[in-house]
Amino acid sequence: MAEDPSLSLRVSEIKDPAALFERYNTDEIRRIERKVRGEIEQKKEELRQMVGERYRELMDAADTIGEMRQCSESVVQSIQDMHQYCHSLKRGKTSVTSSSRQESQRQWQDKFYTMAAQIKLLLEIPERIWSAMEASQYLQATQLYLLCCHLHSLLQLEAATGGHYSPVLARFPILVRQVATTGHFRSTILLDSRSLLQGRAVSDQAIAEALVSTMLLEGSSPRQALADFLLARKASIHQLLNQPQHGAGIKAQVCSLVELLVTTLFQAYAVFYLPPEGGPRPGEGTLSCGMLFSILEIATANTPAAKGKRVMQGETSTGSWFKYLPPSITEFQPTLRTLAQPIQREQLRDTLQQWIDTCKEVICHGVGGLLVYVKSLKGLAAIRDAVWDLLSTESISQHWSTVCQRLLERPLAVWDDFLQQLFLQRLKAITKEETEAISTSSIQLLTSAVRDLEGQTIHTSSCTSPSFSRGAQFEVDVASFLWSESPGDLLSDAGWVSVSQRGQQHQRSSLAMKTQALTPCVQNFCSSMDAKLKERLDDVQHYLPSQDSGADSNSVSITSSVPITSTSASSFNRYTDSPAVEEAFREGCLACVHSILTSIRSELATTSPKPVPAQLSSVLFMARLCQSMGELCPNLKHCILGKQNGSEATAKGTPRQAKKLGKARTATEFSPAQAKWAGLKEELLNCSMEAYRIWSFSLSKVLLDKFGTALHAESAGAILTTATNWEDLEIQEEAESGSSVTSKIRLPVQPSWFVQSLLFQLCVEVNRVGGHALPRPTLQELLQACHAQVLDHFHSLTQQAPNREAVFPMTQNRALQLLFDLRYLSTTLGCRLEEGKSSRSQQDPRFHEICDWLESFIDPFDLDVFTPPLNSNLNRLSQRTSVLLGLLTGSEKQFSLRSSSLNSQEPYNILPLASSQIRFGLLPLSMSNVRKSKSASRSSEAPHQPQEDSFRPGSLFRQLVDQEEDTAAPSLFKLSWLSGMAK
């Protein structure tokens, strides 16, 4: 028969009851239940048996203990009975004693009690010493220790010769360990007293008591105590400088050093200084002094005042055994080995001065190392202000000058002598690091922009479309930037904020940038640099007095180098070094800009010999950058002139009234900062002009090379391709008989095609780079260079051999055309007239030579006939092309026939020149001279204007233009609004 699986199942294997119902049927589960219940009952029975056995053992142990107690009680009772029996036997005897024996017994008993009281006091002194040391009462601990040593000498507890114990130690072995313990108190008290001297927040009384303890234990003099005190404070300074600190802990360290230095001098005065003869005694004035000598006198002297403060004073009432102590114990006073002579004032002064000099070196070296971890001027200013707050507290500032005068016989300025130069050096280092970082990042940005522009020019010339930035494309073709529209062309408040109300700090519109041809690359560079300079400027403002600072800063001016006397002796004027701070910041910013200029000049030097066309865009970018850096970086001006002075200069130059008043003022002297700012602007302008000069030289060379090729054409076909329109004129001449003869002549009215192409290409190139914003000297140099090269090419034409083969001869018509071209080019490209000089004195001598050479190919009689109409054609052509050529013909080129041509019989419609050279000549711009002339003409012509003029077309616009800009009634259609949109 197979074994039942339910019976072989162990109880420990039953973990999940649900599994039993899955594996077994109902009967098997019941058998398993019976088996489990049986095992439960079995375990209960075993537990009952075990508890019963243990209980029997416990009861046996309790019975045994009871028997032992009864036995011990019986033994004690028996001993008591024996004691009573012996006592009764003693009573029964008669004692015969003599009086002398009783007296000796009493004396022996008194000696015994005296020794016992001394031993008990000796056993209690260590606990009292430890209690005094825990309470930092080191003088009391020292007195107790010296009393303990006195007890040792009275009880003869020192080891005898031969290494034997004294009789007392032999009878009382417990004193052996006490004697060994007492020997460690001296070193412990000395160590704790010297550690107390290193603390900053320790009272003068505690310092004096610790020094007296040292003197009593070592038997030293007050001069040695002063040396110990200063040595402990020097060690405390080293400890403060060497402890690890992070973040704001540097400020706490510096303040702790200053506090420790100041507290040392105050405590040296309170502890060691004694007033001269006839002066106030210690404690009589507001400042206590000489505490060391007063405490030492109380602790060691036998005067009546010192008797009230004995070591055991107040202890006699605490126990009955104190009455058995001998007077040498109860009236014990420590004594000094040598006489405590007061420190002479000269010695005290020299010692303190030597300690200050030593600490100065340590503090300068240590604080200089700590300030390396301060990375901003704001952090430096926070540390300086914390030191100022510390020295300005009433507890320090009230008596600082008195203490320094009495101790050192001179004033001591903690900030000026210890910390000011360290902070100034760190400030210069931070400024140098930050400005060098700005120059490095700006140079990297400049280099990347130059490389992008060169790459953009190469890809543009190769007709590819790479993914370059739109700013680089605008830099290559400025005209596309000028005539593109963007949402930021006009500011949102342009309609109601006038130009005079819009300061330099406000955002400028894109239209204002376009009027000055300031491309996005230039704007991005200047805005990046200006943001970094503003960050540096804001940082340095934390170290300088704020503009609204009052009594806190003693009303110190930023640029003033004269310090103002501080209100308290220990506090200092925080802003005395403001001129040095501004000068360091100014020099750092100047060095930053100079390094950028050096990089720009090095870039220009690589392109100046023979600039590649791909490099001209970068050259123009650097030229525009140098030209506009001073204007687009307003914080640069604030960095050089100072924020307050820079804002005042801007505010003075903004209103129109300041401009009018400035004309009448005499020239004032420039400050050094203004001179440096003017010098920096001059350097920027020179660098910009140098870059523009490279561009103008390259442009003139390329265009004039093509011009020279066409001018030196040798074939008839090439000469005919450059021919233009000639005009037929009828002239009347008087014959020999007196009758008039009508004849026809043909004269050129247009320059040759290569001349027109030269001027047009020159205009295109000038306008492509934003010619309206080019400096006037650059444009004049470009025109002068073109004019000089034109004369060079014409002069080389005169040097050709006249009879060479395959060369078209110089005919009269060609000579007329070339003469017309030369005079037209000279008129257009020639230099501007100056006051006191005629046009002929300004012209190149070669011009007259070439004209004479060309006129030699023309019949003299024809030349006399051709000259008047030729001059007329030349003037008419110059006036016609003045608008087309734009910037090549300035407003100072006045033509003699312009005013008369409007009233003559000229059939052509000639456009007059604009009154000012502005690219957007048709926009009504506000100019003071125009307004004055208009107002004067309006006042003189107002009675003669007919009533019907107000109904003519355009009269409303003319009236709006003629109105003054500063009228009271605001209108969106006023001239100020139209001119303010661009700014």
Side-chain angles (χ1 to χ4, degrees):
M1 183 175 181
E3 184 180 0
D4 189 359
S6 62
L7 298 178
S8 62
L9 180 65
R10 296 180 180 180
V11 178
S12 60
E13 296 177 355
I14 303 175
K15 296 181 179 180
D16 187 8
L20 297 177
F21 289 93
E22 295 177 357
R23 294 172 55 186
Y24 305 105
N25 55 25
T26 305
D27 297 336
E28 291 174 346
I29 291 176
R30 287 176 179 172
R31 284 195 294 273
I32 292 172
E33 181 186 4
R34 286 194 296 272
K35 181 180 178 181
V36 171
R37 291 186 182 276
E39 291 184 2
I40 291 174
E41 294 297 329
Q42 183 180 358
K43 294 296 182 182
K44 286 182 178 181
E45 184 62 27
E46 291 177 357
L47 182 61
R48 291 192 193 97
Q49 293 177 2
M50 182 181 67
V51 170
E53 293 176 357
R54 297 296 180 186
Y55 184 73
R56 284 194 298 272
E57 293 177 358
L58 181 62
M59 295 298 294
D60 293 341
D63 294 340
T64 303
I65 292 172
E67 292 175 359
M68 292 175 64
R69 183 173 65 251
Q70 292 177 359
C71 182
S72 62
E73 289 177 353
S74 63
V75 170
V76 170
Q77 186 65 35
S78 299
I79 292 174
Q80 291 178 353
D81 293 342
M82 292 172 64
H83 182 268
Q84 291 177 359
Y85 181 72
C86 292
H87 187 65
S88 61
L89 289 176
K90 288 182 179 180
R91 286 182 179 179
K93 293 182 180 181
T94 51
S95 59
V96 180
T97 59
S98 63
S99 59
S100 59
R101 187 176 180 181
Q102 292 178 356
E103 183 66 21
S104 62
Q105 187 175 5
R106 276 198 307 271
Q107 292 178 359
W108 178 85
Q109 188 177 8
D110 291 340
K111 290 181 180 180
F112 177 78
Y113 285 158
T114 300
M115 182 175 294
Q118 292 178 9
I119 292 174
K120 182 173 179 59
L121 178 62
L122 191 63
L123 293 176
E124 289 186 357
I125 281 179
E127 182 180 357
R128 297 188 181 187
I129 291 177
W130 286 120
S131 299
M133 293 182 65
E134 288 178 357
S136 298
Q137 298 176 357
Y138 299 109
L139 179 58
Q140 183 180 358
T142 301
Q143 291 173 334
L144 291 173
Y145 168 74
L146 295 177
L147 176 61
C148 185
C149 295
H150 182 63
L151 286 173
H152 286 177
S153 63
L154 290 178
L155 295 176
Q156 300 178 355
L157 297 182
E158 290 81 5
T161 57
H164 300 286
Y165 287 120
S166 65
V168 178
L169 292 178
R171 291 180 176 271
F172 300 97
I174 193 173
L175 295 180
V176 176
R177 181 174 296 179
Q178 196 274 343
V179 171
T181 304
T182 307
H184 300 290
F185 279 125
R186 183 177 184 274
S187 60
T188 305
I189 294 174
L190 285 175
L191 184 63
D192 290 352
S193 298
R194 289 193 172 98
S195 64
L196 179 71
L197 298 179
Q198 298 182 5
R200 301 190 308 274
V202 183
S203 64
D204 301 342
Q205 181 76 19
I207 292 291
E209 291 182 356
L211 290 173
V212 170
S213 300
T214 306
M215 293 176 62
L216 291 176
L217 292 175
E218 294 184 340
S220 57
S221 62
R223 291 185 62 182
Q224 184 62 35
L226 175 61
D228 293 341
F229 172 67
L230 297 180
L231 189 63
R233 288 307 172 93
K234 182 180 177 181
S236 180
I237 290 175
H238 280 286
Q239 182 181 1
L240 278 174
L241 290 174
N242 295 329
Q243 65 182 1
Q245 292 287 349
H246 304 282
I250 296 177
K251 179 170 69 174
Q253 278 181 280
V254 175
C255 291
S256 300
L257 285 172
V258 174
E259 182 183 5
L260 181 62
L261 183 65
V262 173
T263 305
T264 301
L265 291 181
F266 270 107
Q267 291 179 345
Y269 176 84
V271 175
F272 298 100
Y273 179 79
L274 283 178
E277 294 293 334
R281 301 304 301 166
E284 294 180 1
T286 56
L287 282 177
S288 60
C289 60
M291 296 181 64
L292 177 72
F293 304 99
S294 59
I295 293 176
L296 192 62
E297 182 180 2
I298 293 174
T300 59
N302 292 323
T303 58
K307 288 184 178 180
K309 298 196 176 183
R310 304 293 185 185
V311 178
M312 301 303 299
Q313 185 70 24
E315 300 289 343
T316 55
S317 61
T318 58
S320 59
W321 55 273
F322 273 93
K323 62 185 179 180
Y324 297 104
L325 292 174
S328 61
I329 302 297
T330 57
E331 298 181 0
F332 173 77
Q333 284 286 87
T335 57
L336 282 175
R337 299 176 187 175
T338 59
L339 184 62
Q341 294 289 343
I343 304 176
Q344 299 295 328
R345 296 183 62 185
E346 293 77 10
Q347 296 176 351
L348 180 62
R349 178 197 62 199
D350 296 340
T351 305
L352 289 176
Q353 186 60 51
Q354 184 179 2
W355 179 81
I356 288 174
D357 295 338
T358 305
C359 291
K360 184 177 181 180
E361 297 178 0
V362 176
I363 290 176
C364 291
H365 182 268
V367 174
L370 290 176
L371 293 181
V372 174
Y373 300 99
V374 181
K375 300 298 182 182
S376 65
L377 303 187
K378 181 179 180 181
L380 278 181
I383 299 175
R384 179 201 61 186
D385 294 342
V387 173
W388 185 85
D389 292 337
L390 174 64
L391 295 178
S392 299
T393 55
E394 185 178 0
S395 59
I396 295 177
S397 60
Q398 187 175 4
H399 304 292
W400 175 252
S401 59
T402 304
V403 170
C404 292
Q405 189 62 35
R406 292 179 180 177
L407 288 179
L408 305 175
E409 298 180 359
R410 69 175 183 88
L412 177 64
V414 178
W415 172 259
D416 297 340
D417 296 344
F418 288 82
L419 301 176
Q420 184 178 16
Q421 290 302 318
L422 297 177
F423 276 68
L424 197 57
Q425 291 174 5
R426 182 55 188 161
L427 182 142
K428 293 179 179 179
I430 292 176
T431 302
K432 183 178 179 182
E433 293 172 3
E434 296 297 336
T435 51
E436 286 179 353
I438 293 175
S439 64
T440 302
S441 60
S442 300
I443 290 173
Q444 292 176 354
L445 183 61
L446 173 69
T447 305
S448 62
V450 169
R451 299 298 171 263
D452 289 345
L453 290 176
E454 292 178 356
Q456 175 72 16
T457 307
I458 294 173
H459 286 285
T460 303
S461 60
S462 59
C463 299
T464 58
S465 57
S467 58
F468 282 97
S469 64
R470 190 171 181 82
Q473 296 177 3
F474 284 155
E475 197 68 40
V476 174
D477 187 8
V478 181
S480 61
F481 166 67
L482 297 179
W483 297 106
S484 63
E485 294 184 359
S486 61
D489 283 345
L490 290 180
L491 297 178
S492 58
D493 57 352
W496 50 86
V497 178
S498 63
V499 181
S500 59
Q501 296 174 351
R502 193 183 304 279
Q504 292 289 337
Q505 67 275 13
H506 290 80
Q507 182 184 4
R508 304 182 64 181
S509 63
S510 298
L511 188 58
M513 298 296 180
K514 291 177 181 179
T515 55
Q516 300 179 9
L518 300 179
T519 55
C521 288
V522 176
Q523 297 178 34
N524 294 337
F525 183 92
C526 292
S527 61
S528 174
M529 181 177 175
D530 188 62
K532 296 173 184 176
L533 289 175
K534 185 179 187 305
E535 183 180 354
R536 291 292 91 221
L537 187 63
D538 293 341
D539 191 22
V540 80
Q541 289 303 313
H542 291 96
Y543 209 85
L544 298 174
S546 58
Q547 297 180 7
D548 55 350
S549 60
D552 180 64
S553 62
N554 297 325
S555 301
V556 181
S557 175
I558 297 179
T559 57
S560 175
S561 59
V562 180
I564 296 179
T565 305
S566 179
T567 55
S568 60
S570 63
S571 62
F572 55 94
N573 189 351
R574 288 179 285 180
Y575 306 115
T576 52
D577 54 356
S578 294
V581 172
E582 282 201 335
E583 183 64 24
F585 186 62
R586 183 182 301 113
E587 293 298 331
C589 294
L590 287 173
C592 172
V593 180
H594 286 157
S595 63
I596 296 175
L597 285 176
T598 303
S599 177
I600 291 177
R601 288 193 176 98
S602 63
E603 291 287 345
L604 294 177
T606 59
T607 61
S608 57
K610 290 183 180 180
V612 183
Q615 297 176 335
L616 291 181
S617 297
S618 60
V619 170
L620 287 170
F621 163 71
M622 290 183 281
R624 282 189 286 266
L625 179 62
C626 295
Q627 183 184 5
S628 60
M629 188 181 296
E631 183 178 359
L632 293 186
C633 297
N635 288 300
L636 177 61
K637 183 178 181 180
H638 295 157
C639 292
I640 304 300
L641 297 180
K643 194 167 186 179
Q644 186 175 4
N645 292 341
S647 59
E648 287 177 358
T650 305
K652 289 179 181 178
T654 300
R656 192 178 309 277
Q657 292 79 4
K659 290 184 179 179
K660 294 179 180 179
L661 293 175
K663 296 179 182 179
R665 293 177 181 172
T666 57
T668 58
E669 295 183 359
F670 284 137
S671 64
Q674 291 173 338
K676 291 182 179 180
W677 171 244
L680 181 62
K681 290 196 297 183
E682 185 68 21
E683 291 185 24
L684 290 171
L685 180 60
N686 292 336
C687 188
S688 175
M689 297 304 295
E690 181 182 352
Y692 276 126
R693 197 172 292 113
I694 294 174
W695 166 78
S696 62
F697 172 78
S698 175
L699 177 61
S700 61
K701 189 176 184 305
V702 171
L703 295 180
L704 268 300
D705 286 345
K706 297 179 182 179
F707 172 81
T709 303
L711 179 63
H712 292 80
E714 299 178 350
S715 62
I719 295 173
L720 286 175
T721 56
T722 61
T724 54
N725 183 29
W726 283 49
E727 183 183 22
D728 295 334
L729 292 178
E730 293 184 356
I731 60 172
Q732 293 182 355
E733 297 177 330
E734 187 176 355
E736 296 179 358
S737 59
S739 60
S740 62
V741 179
T742 302
S743 60
K744 278 189 176 183
I745 59 173
R746 300 184 72 251
L747 293 175
V749 294
Q750 289 183 353
S752 301
W753 287 119
F754 61 86
V755 175
Q756 297 185 38
S757 177
L758 168 66
L759 296 177
F760 182 74
Q761 288 296 328
L762 188 60
C763 285
V764 169
E765 291 298 327
V766 170
N767 285 288
R768 190 175 67 85
V769 299
H772 65 280
L774 285 177
R776 196 63 187 165
T778 298
L779 194 57
Q780 291 179 354
E781 288 180 4
L782 175 61
L783 298 181
Q784 290 174 6
C786 292
H787 185 240
Q789 294 185 43
V790 164
L791 293 179
D792 289 340
H793 287 295
F794 271 99
H795 189 266
S796 64
L797 184 64
T798 62
Q799 303 300 322
Q800 292 181 357
N803 296 324
R804 288 191 306 165
E805 296 181 357
V807 176
F808 191 79
M810 182 64 68
T811 62
Q812 178 173 327
N813 288 341
R814 187 185 179 194
L816 274 174
Q817 183 64 53
L818 291 178
L819 181 61
F820 187 82
D821 294 343
L822 177 60
R823 293 183 61 185
Y824 176 65
L825 286 173
S826 180
T827 303
T828 305
L829 302 177
C831 59
R832 280 27 176 178
L833 298 178
E834 297 181 5
E835 295 182 1
K837 293 184 180 180
S838 62
S839 61
R840 189 170 184 86
S841 63
Q842 288 286 322
Q843 291 178 347
D844 196 303
R846 294 177 299 172
F847 173 74
H848 302 290
E849 295 177 4
I850 298 170
C851 289
D852 294 341
W853 180 75
L854 291 175
E855 290 175 355
S856 65
F857 293 99
I858 305 173
D859 184 83
F861 297 101
D862 293 341
L863 183 61
D864 293 338
V865 176
F866 293 161
T867 299
L870 194 64
N871 290 336
S872 177
N873 291 345
L874 181 62
N875 287 330
R876 185 165 60 249
L877 178 64
S878 298
Q879 295 180 13
R880 284 175 175 174
T881 57
S882 61
V883 176
L884 176 63
L885 298 181
L887 295 171
L888 301 186
T889 58
S891 60
E892 61 272 12
K893 278 193 172 184
Q894 303 296 332
F895 298 98
S896 58
L897 297 179
R898 183 195 304 177
S899 59
S900 61
S901 63
L902 297 177
N903 300 325
S904 63
Q905 300 296 328
E906 181 64 47
Y908 301 100
N909 185 13
I910 300 174
L911 295 176
L913 289 177
S915 60
S916 62
Q917 184 186 0
I918 300 174
R919 181 65 182 87
F920 304 99
L922 298 180
L923 288 178
L925 299 179
S926 60
M927 292 181 294
S928 59
N929 54 355
V930 176
R931 287 198 305 272
K932 289 179 180 178
S933 61
K934 289 182 178 180
S935 60
S937 61
R938 188 167 58 248
S939 61
S940 61
E941 296 175 2
H944 305 286
Q945 289 180 353
Q947 187 72 19
E948 292 81 4
D949 285 348
S950 60
F951 301 101
R952 296 178 60 186
S955 60
L956 178 59
F957 184 79
R958 284 195 297 272
Q959 292 175 11
L960 292 174
V961 170
D962 291 339
Q963 288 179 359
E964 278 293 325
E965 183 181 353
D966 299 327
T967 54
S971 175
L972 294 180
F973 296 94
K974 285 176 55 178
L975 184 59
S976 60
W977 177 76
L978 292 174
S979 61
M981 290 192 302
K983 299 184 180 181

